[in-house]
Amino acid sequence: MGLDIRQLECFIAVAEEGNLGRAAARLHMTQPPLTRRIKRLEADVGATLFIRTPRGVEITAPGQALLEQARRIVALSDLALEITSAAHAGEVGQLVAGYFGSPIFGDVPRLLSEFSQENPGIEIRLERVPKTEQPDALRDGRIHIGFSRIYSPADDLVTLDIAQEALFAAASVSHRLASRASIELADLANEPLVLFPRARPSFADEVLQMCAAAGFKPQVHSEVEDAVTGLANVAVGSIVAIVPASATNIALPGLAFIPIADAPRQALSCIYRADDPSPVLAKLLEYISAWPPPGDRETA
């Protein structure tokens, strides 16, 4: 027969108090039901646990052996309840985040690091998941949340903007624009551009649209998969790229980043499953709703 946690709690109280009356008061019960519980426990373990004395009760050798284990069992039971309650509240658990593109060089690690500091019981695992694959990864439960830009709408998924990033022109340090404090989009009208990422819809589409709004059709030199590849091409050639602020953290030698004064800011977004019941995801989304802090709503 398995041991009942309440029986063990009664046994511990009697052992520590050495008196049935005081133990009953400590347990907020009367003495007769406490006595019955102790007798039932003795029957279950097949040993006498206490002997009566003029002052109360004295624990026996078998009782002493049980006492050590009883304390461990009750402590583990309490811990299990605490962990379960914390998991339900989203205070412990694992969160898997997918990312793609330049946001991993800027606000995404910052956001997750700050969240992790406030929620040390939640383990965060980052995985590189191409933006086009993130929706299926969410539906399959392989990730809880994805980070990138410009997601295609889907009825079962929610897209949430996290921050707005300023745009820069990336050029070789020897480029004619490299020494400028800032430029305008029209200054890039005759410059060969490298676009990224190649998959659509993407930041590359935004670049084409903003150039059109500025009154010119850009000279597209090439299209590449990601910001790192795009900037590597800029560093070794005479081409230029338009990049969000997060990409300026990519430390390749020979690069200059020039602010584009009239470029619209670009949203960094996250995407998640609308019906995901995960408490840790709910905890992160609550954190995201108040992030960045007031006064830091835009990434310069």
Side-chain angles (χ1 to χ4, degrees):
M1 178 181 293
L3 295 178
D4 178 84
I5 292 294
R6 184 57 176 168
Q7 276 185 322
L8 293 179
E9 290 174 338
C10 291
F11 165 69
I12 292 169
V14 173
E16 291 178 348
E17 297 293 339
N19 181 281
L20 285 165
R22 289 197 300 269
R26 168 174 157 179
L27 294 165
H28 305 290
M29 61 190 300
T30 58
Q31 187 170 327
L34 175 58
T35 301
R36 288 194 294 272
R37 283 182 179 272
I38 296 300
K39 288 182 177 179
R40 190 178 307 122
L41 180 59
E42 288 179 325
D44 289 343
V45 300
T48 299
L49 302 176
F50 299 101
I51 56 174
R52 289 189 175 273
T53 68
R55 292 188 174 184
V57 295
E58 182 178 315
I59 194 167
T60 63
Q64 192 65 50
L66 177 61
L67 180 59
E68 181 180 350
Q69 300 304 319
R71 284 172 172 156
R72 291 179 180 175
I73 292 169
V74 171
L76 285 173
S77 175
D78 291 343
L79 179 61
L81 290 175
E82 290 173 8
I83 291 174
T84 302
S85 177
H88 178 70
E91 295 170 355
V92 297
Q94 184 184 76
L95 186 137
V96 183
Y99 71 88
F100 180 75
S102 61
I104 196 59
F105 298 103
D107 281 325
V108 169
R110 176 187 164 204
L111 164 66
L112 295 179
S113 174
E114 292 174 3
F115 173 75
S116 183
Q117 290 174 28
E118 292 195 15
N119 299 273
I122 298 177
E123 177 192 355
I124 298 176
R125 193 174 84 236
L126 275 169
E127 292 188 4
R128 185 182 184 278
V129 182
K131 187 176 69 173
T132 55
E133 296 178 18
Q134 287 185 14
D136 284 341
L138 289 164
R139 294 179 181 115
D140 295 343
R142 288 183 282 128
I143 62 174
H144 295 95
I145 192 168
F147 293 96
S148 191
R149 311 177 196 278
I150 314 169
Y151 288 101
S152 298
D155 291 340
D156 59 334
L157 302 175
V158 178
T159 301
L160 179 65
D161 288 347
I162 299 172
Q164 301 290 327
E165 291 191 79
L167 297 185
F168 293 74
S172 166
V173 291
S174 60
H175 194 279
R176 67 178 184 84
L177 297 175
S179 61
R180 299 268 296 271
S182 68
I183 63 170
E184 295 187 350
L185 283 165
D187 293 319
L188 301 176
N190 298 314
E191 300 294 335
L193 292 181
V194 56
L195 301 178
F196 62 87
R198 187 177 289 135
R200 298 297 205 275
S202 71
F203 177 65
D205 297 310
E206 297 293 304
V207 170
L208 293 174
Q209 290 173 17
M210 70 179 71
C211 290
F216 68 95
K217 182 177 181 179
Q219 299 180 27
V220 178
H221 173 275
S222 56
E223 297 186 19
V224 296
E225 291 297 328
D226 53 43
V228 174
T229 306
L231 289 176
N233 278 274
V234 170
V236 299
S238 58
I239 58 179
V240 175
I242 296 176
V243 301
S246 54
T248 65
N249 293 319
I250 300 173
L252 293 178
L255 280 180
F257 295 100
I258 310 100
I260 306 176
D262 61 340
R265 291 178 178 265
Q266 295 298 304
L268 161 64
S269 305
C270 68
I271 188 171
Y272 59 94
R273 216 174 72 225
D275 62 350
D276 192 328
S278 167
V280 292
L281 173 62
K283 193 80 171 179
L284 176 61
L285 293 175
E286 179 185 0
Y287 188 82
I288 287 174
S289 69
W291 192 92
D296 190 24
R297 295 294 179 186
E298 293 184 341
T299 301

